[in-house]
Amino acid sequence: MSIELTAFLLALVAMLANSEYLLGSSMLSRPLVTCTLVGLVMGDITQGIIIGATLELAFVGSFSIGASIPPEIISGSILGTAFAIGAGKSTEIALTLGIPIASFVLLVKNLCFLFILPYFVHKADQYACEGNGKGMDRMNLLGGFFSVNLPIGLVVGLSYLFGSSAINDLLEMIPKFIIDGLGIATGLLPAFGFAMLMKIMIKKTNATFFVLGFALAVYMKVPVTGVAIFGACIALILTGYSAFNGKKDVTEDGNQRLNNNTGNTLGVQEINYENEEF
């Protein structure tokens, strides 16, 4: 396959992964999906899946929360995997190349949001004032395509087309001890990814369950599936099997009550969201 055709197909993969404005949150943007598609394009789908799984662990906590915007993992995953497979290198190289590429392309994406997207947003506002629903839908599709889909596709395709030979020469110059060090770092990054995810999820009311799961997996050698089943059983016990006791009914005053299939209704404790920790 020629390098031009490969670059074109990689651009299509990037555009597909950036099509959430059209398809919704389909998880096509995750490294496990994009790297597998890259492996298919590059003729080594097995290596693509392996690299994708590693990058998925590294980016498992990479989500946009508030003003915090994570690196552009789509382009980083695609180009990192393509360069690594094309050069015949290992997963460590893909991860090493993918992270800085993702950070750089994030700047390009932000520039597109700053200079291209506002035009379509203002036009959508205008159509909204006019009650033109079709115009709003059209601006949503065009805005997503010209501000995200097309620019990222061009960046990925052109980067591989003009940068593959330079990257290959650069990789050949890297000493072996650096490659070995990158291999060690690759083993640490998945733990860092899970730490980012736990930082979002963990709090004092569920920290005990994380420790329990760790003890089961490490000291008792329980497989992940077994830990999941054990956790599901604990969840059912702690909730009193409320999910199986009946269905929730809404009374006239708007409060939810639990129907226990006996004709009686049980009051459900309301949650005070003002004092709840998120």
Side-chain angles (χ1 to χ4, degrees):
M1 185 184 299
S2 65
I3 188 173
E4 291 82 6
L5 180 57
T6 302
F8 175 73
L9 293 177
L10 292 178
L12 290 182
V13 172
M15 295 175 70
L16 175 64
N18 275 291
S19 61
E20 290 190 345
Y21 69 94
L22 176 63
L23 304 175
S25 298
S26 56
M27 293 298 172
L28 290 175
S29 60
R30 300 306 301 176
L32 189 59
V33 178
T34 56
C35 294
T36 301
L37 294 177
V38 171
L40 183 63
V41 171
M42 302 295 295
D44 192 350
I45 190 171
T46 302
Q47 187 66 12
I49 294 174
I50 294 173
I51 295 175
T54 304
L55 290 177
E56 185 68 48
L57 291 174
F59 288 116
V60 68
S62 181
F63 292 96
S64 178
I65 301 175
S68 175
I69 302 177
E72 215 286 321
I73 61 175
I74 296 174
S75 56
S77 301
I78 293 175
L79 288 175
T81 304
F83 287 141
I85 294 179
K89 300 298 182 179
S90 58
T91 305
E92 294 82 5
I93 296 299
L95 193 59
T96 304
L97 295 174
I99 292 178
I101 290 174
S103 300
F104 172 75
V105 177
L106 177 62
L107 299 177
V108 178
K109 192 173 184 179
N110 287 338
L111 290 176
C112 293
F113 283 159
L114 185 62
F115 294 106
I116 300 177
L117 185 61
Y119 169 78
F120 298 97
V121 173
H122 294 319
K123 289 292 292 184
D125 290 339
Q126 179 182 341
Y127 286 133
C129 293
E130 298 172 356
N132 187 346
K134 292 184 178 179
M136 294 173 58
D137 293 339
R138 187 166 59 252
M139 289 302 102
N140 177 62
L141 296 177
L142 293 177
F145 179 79
F146 286 106
S147 64
V148 179
N149 200 286
L150 182 61
I152 300 301
L154 290 175
V155 168
V156 170
L158 294 176
S159 297
Y160 185 81
L161 181 62
F162 297 107
S164 58
S165 59
I167 291 295
N168 290 339
D169 295 338
L170 177 63
L171 294 178
E172 293 297 331
M173 297 171 56
I174 299 178
K176 185 178 182 302
F177 73 91
I178 295 182
I179 300 296
D180 295 338
L182 294 175
I184 298 174
T186 302
L188 296 176
L189 279 175
F192 180 73
F194 275 105
M196 293 173 59
L197 186 63
M198 289 180 63
K199 184 179 180 181
I200 302 172
M201 298 173 56
I202 196 168
K203 55 183 180 179
K204 60 184 179 181
T205 55
N206 61 18
T208 305
F209 298 101
F210 285 102
V211 177
L212 178 61
F214 176 80
L216 288 173
V218 175
Y219 296 107
M220 301 183 67
K221 307 300 181 183
V222 179
V224 176
T225 304
V227 174
I229 295 174
F230 186 76
C233 293
I234 291 181
L236 289 174
I237 294 172
L238 293 179
T239 57
Y241 299 93
S242 60
F244 300 100
N245 287 338
K247 60 181 180 179
K248 291 181 179 179
D249 295 327
V250 180
T251 60
E252 293 181 357
D253 57 359
N255 294 326
Q256 288 185 342
R257 294 184 178 276
L258 185 65
N259 188 342
N260 62 0
N261 295 329
T262 61
N264 299 324
T265 56
L266 304 175
V268 178
Q269 183 179 2
E270 295 184 359
I271 300 175
N272 186 357
Y273 289 100
E274 294 182 356
N275 297 327
E276 186 72 11
E277 295 182 2
F278 293 98

